[in-house]
Amino acid sequence: MLRSPRSYLCNFLGTVYKNSSRENLMEVLKQDGLDKLCWIAAREQWQPQETNESFRIYQDALLQSDLTLCPVGVNTECYRIYEACSYGSVPVVEDVMTPGNCGNSSIYHSAPLQLLKTMGAPFIFIKNWEELPAVLEKEKNMSLQEKIQRRKKLIEWYRYFKAQMKHKFINILENSFLPNYKGG
């Protein structure tokens, strides 16, 4: 699926919370009919259980979209970022701190998404959804070949990222629980 044209510029399937940036995202998408270029399935209440059908729809949205919109929720970072990577759909990540518990600290005021930034994630980071129309305009002007190269780069980066995280995790476990272990 990396080489095929995709039907949608972007996707967002998720809950739109009252008075959140997700409401702003929906308003921006409705401007100038941008929502017609994207696969949008918004709901007002979070649903704790995924069904086989809803999971299939979500996978299809990722596979058929060049970009995956990743607005903050309770926390800045969420699973959507990583799922998009695995399907070659570039995350458009809202780069703001949330009042949630992940990384929110007066000591770590630059904490949002720090690991991804340090690892050189090939994402599109935005501070406000008002930036989205320009992102989508640029997207419309990209050739299929450029999109294919970007998808390959994203998939390769994600493979490298997972390997690095696995290596770090194993090192932490070995140093914590097997301090005298030398490997082998």
Side-chain angles (χ1 to χ4, degrees), residues 6 11 13 39 55-69 80 82-90:
R6 295 188 175 188
N11 75 75
L13 286 73
W39 184 326
F55 182 63
R56 186 192 58 74
I57 290 169
Y58 181 61
Q59 286 178 311
D60 286 347
L62 294 172
L63 281 170
Q64 294 182 42
S65 302
D66 291 310
L67 306 174
T68 294
L69 306 180
R80 179 179 287 111
Y82 303 99
E83 291 169 340
C85 289
S86 67
Y87 287 89
S89 182
V90 176

Side-chain angles (χ1 to χ4, degrees), residues 116-153:
L116 294 172
K117 291 174 186 175
T118 301
M119 296 291 292
F123 302 169
I124 299 169
F125 292 97
I126 62 172
K127 291 289 185 187
N128 185 304
W129 289 111
E130 297 297 326
E131 298 173 45
L132 185 61
V135 169
L136 294 180
E137 189 60 36
K138 183 177 177 185
E139 194 67 23
K140 283 193 269 187
N141 293 320
M142 285 181 72
S143 71
L144 177 58
Q145 201 55 37
E146 290 172 310
K147 290 178 181 182
I148 290 168
Q149 292 300 16
R150 184 179 64 183
R151 289 175 200 154
K152 287 179 181 178
K153 179 181 175 184

